[in-house]
Structures are given as C-alpha cells and as structure tokens.
C-alpha cells in the first residue's frame, strides 16, 4: 500500500529509515518507506544537495543489482546533554553516529537548584564554546532530563528549572533548535536505533532498569516516532520502604535500580555501571545475594504485569542490568508478570536487550539525531559549515 505524504513527512520517513538501518540501497529504501523509487527520487536529490545524506558506491547485493548506497551525512553535527548516574554528560556527534566530543560533570542526586543550575550552565557554555572554536554548526541540541514533564517547571528528580535552561540555551546557542525531554524518551529512542527496522513488527513496552527505572511505549514502525513514557520506577510498591529521590517512599526504583543492586553486591555503583553486560561474571554473587536479586526481579515483573493491564501491549523489551543474568534467573520476571497481568502471560513476548549500562551520552546523541530527522532534516538557515577534522 502506497501512502500519501507531505514533503515534510516523506523527508522524515526517508531519513528515519536510513537512521535505523544504517544506510540502504535505493530499492530497499523505497520498499522500507512504502513509496516507489520515482516518488522519492526528487527528495533524495534534495537531501543530497543540502548535505543531509550521502550516496557512495558499494558492491551490489546481487548480480546486476544497485551499487549506489545512501547513508546519513557525516558532516552534520548534533549535540546532547544527558543527566544520568549522578552525572551530567555533554557531547557532540555526527548525524551518522560518530561521537566527536564527550565530557561529564558531577551532578549528584539531591543537589539544590543553585548547584544544579551552576553545573548545567557550565556544561552548556563549554559545549557552545567547543563548537565555536572548531567552526562547527550544531544543527540540533537535545536534553535528556530524569523526571522531565512539560507541564512542570522543575523536574521532581533533578532540580532543573526548564524555563531558565531554555533561556540559557537561547543565549549560548541562539540558532540551534532545542528539544528537552524525559530521560526515558531518550533511552527508548536509542533502543529503537539499536534494534534497526521492523524487528518486532509493531509497538512494544520498553523497560530500562539502571540508575533510574522507567518505561515507554514505542512503535518501531510509526513514522511519527512518538514515545509515550510511563513512570514505572516511581510506582509505590512498598509504602513502608525506603525513601526515593522523587520524594516518595517505597518506589520500585528503590528496589531494582543499580543503586539497589550495588548495595546488594556491596560494590560501588560506578564500578557496576562500568562492567555493562559483564557484571554477573565480574562480581562474586553469594547465594543470599542471588535470592535477594530474584525477589527484586519478582517485584519488577509484578509492576510490568500491572502496567500491561493498562497498556495492553503484547511485546515487552527489557534493557538494563537484568539483561545480563542467565535465562533461568530472568524467568522470575516473566513468572511475576503472569501473576499480575489479567490473563497471565498468554500472548506476551518478553525479550531482554543489551544491558546498555554506562554508555552515556549515547542516548542523548541518538535523541538529538532523531529530533533533527523529525524536523525532516531542515538545516539551519545560516552558518552551514562542514565538520572539520
């Protein structure tokens, strides 16, 4: 079925497919966006002329097949600021996924508004100065903030005043479009890029279990790229439990975050995050610790099952520290989903993705690239310098 699209939508569809697939021959691209090669030819020429995509020769996939391979440009820069793991990360990368610069600043949980503002201000100014010194035009800036809600002036997780932050970015990078969003949106967008195109064939419930715990509904085939977040980490599961950084007590996050896991293992959270998918092999896990971890996984599964009673998603993908556990231990999650979801686990497909721990600011840069794509790749009107080596 061929779709009727506006010029903006067609551009976004082409760029989104190239972004997820890592590049494509024209026939595959046409099929992927459900248009004829003739229909997208003018848009491809337009995007090439603007420097948004590149077309190079590559060995044909079959005898007599196409040899022109299309990718996103390596000459377009996007930037990100990502708050995660008691740090603020800032980075500049290319639309094609190369990281050009990455810095981090300490930003511990619970800091007051003045301290947070000072750190964020320093990071934004350093980022703008880095690009200016190199003559690099930043086509998009994305900011990933835990607990961000467009209806709230400040996040309940990190004391960021979004109005002041917006004004700061306007002063330091006045021509660069800004997108501020919840950290879970950035995680979900980065995961969608990691998956590629058409893996699950529709929407899925994505859960990330790290320093923060969150969930989102993602439609991998939706051209809008909309991500609907779900604050599953701040569902209260034990009213008599410990305090959470959101201000409540007994949240799921207090039981299953990497902060909680590090406490069980008696290690520093930073060491745990640095091990990524290797953490179960790198740390000694006692019998008592394994039993505790299984109890925490059970709570996670109960929360997911209850969430599925509301969202009615059949595909569930979990990333974060549970992904690195052996399958027999991860089964505790599925068992708990079955105990809390109406109808049990019938029809549920549960997948564990890469842990994706300690890879910041990859999610922020993915969000920046995707935000540029959702704007249909419209370049800034002035100062379109190429990225220097």
């Amino acid at each position: 079925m061929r779709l009727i699209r506006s010029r903006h939508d067609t551009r976004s569809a082409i760029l989104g497919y190239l972004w997820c697939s890592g590049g494509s021959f024209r026939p595959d691209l046409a099929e992927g966006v459900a248009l004829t090669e003739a229909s997208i030819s003018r848009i491809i020429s337009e995007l090439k002329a603007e420097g948004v995509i590149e077309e190079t020769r590559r060995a044909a996939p079959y005898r007599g097949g196409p040899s022109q391979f299309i990718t996103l440009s390596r000459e377009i820069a996007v930037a990100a600021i990502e708050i995660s793991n008691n740090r603020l990360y800032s980075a500049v990368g290319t639309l094609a996924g190369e990281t050009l610069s990455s810095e981090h600043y300490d930003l511990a949980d619970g800091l007051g508004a003045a301290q947070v503002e000072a750190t964020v201000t320093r990071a934004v100014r350093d980022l703008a100065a880095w690009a200016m010194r190199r003559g690099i035009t930043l086509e998009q800036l994305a900011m990933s903030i835990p607990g961000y809600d467009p209806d709230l002036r400040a996040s309940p997780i990190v004391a960021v005043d979004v109005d002041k932050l917006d004004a700061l970015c306007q002063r330091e990078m006045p021509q660069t479009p800004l997108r501020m969003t919840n950290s879970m949106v950035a995680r979900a967008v980065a995961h969608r890029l990691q998956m590629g195109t058409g893996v699950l064939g529709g929407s899925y419930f994505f859960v990330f279990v790290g320093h923060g715990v969150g969930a989102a509904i993602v439609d991998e085939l939706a051209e809008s790229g909309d991500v609907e977040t779900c604050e599953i980490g701040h569902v209260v599961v034990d009213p008599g439990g410990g305090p959470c950084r959101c201000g409540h007590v007994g949240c799921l996050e207090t039981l299953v975050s990497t902060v909680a896991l590090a406490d069980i293992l008696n290690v520093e959270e930073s060491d745990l995050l640095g091990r990524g998918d290797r953490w179960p092999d790198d740390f000694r896990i006692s019998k008592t610790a394994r039993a505790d971890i299984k109890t925490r996984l059970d709570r996670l599964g109960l929360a997911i099952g209850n969430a599925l009673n509301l969202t009615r998603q059949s595909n569930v993908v979990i990333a974060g520290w549970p992904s690195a556990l052996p399958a027999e231990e991860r089964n505790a999650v599925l068992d708990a989903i079955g105990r809390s979801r109406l109808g049990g686990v019938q029809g549920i497909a549960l997948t564990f993705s890469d842990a994706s721990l300690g890879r910041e600011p990859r999610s922020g840069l993915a969000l920046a690239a995707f935000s540029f794509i959702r704007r249909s790749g419209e370049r800034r009107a002035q100062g379109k310098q190429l990225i220097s080596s």
Side-chain angles (χ1 to χ4, degrees), residues 117 121 124-125 128 163-175:
E117 182 179 351
T121 298
V124 170
R125 288 176 175 170
D163 290 338
K164 289 184 178 180
L165 179 55
D166 182 69
L168 169 66
C169 293
Q170 289 294 325
R171 289 195 305 271
E172 299 298 324
M173 291 173 272
Q175 293 181 312

Side-chain angles (χ1 to χ4, degrees), residues 22-23 35 50 132-133 216 310:
L35 290 171
E50 295 172 13
M132 182 175 292
R133 286 196 301 271
L310 299 175

Side-chain angles (χ1 to χ4, degrees), residues 238-284:
D238 182 5
C244 182
R245 56 181 179 156
C246 73
H248 294 157
V249 296
C251 291
L252 178 66
E253 183 174 297
T254 65
L255 297 177
V256 302
S257 70
T258 49
V259 177
L261 179 61
D263 186 56
I264 293 172
L265 300 175
N266 196 27
V267 300
E268 294 294 327
E269 187 195 17
S270 57
D271 291 338
L272 173 63
L273 292 170
R275 306 306 171 99
D277 290 328
R278 304 189 316 275
W279 73 265
D281 299 321
D282 290 354
F283 297 116
R284 178 182 175 274

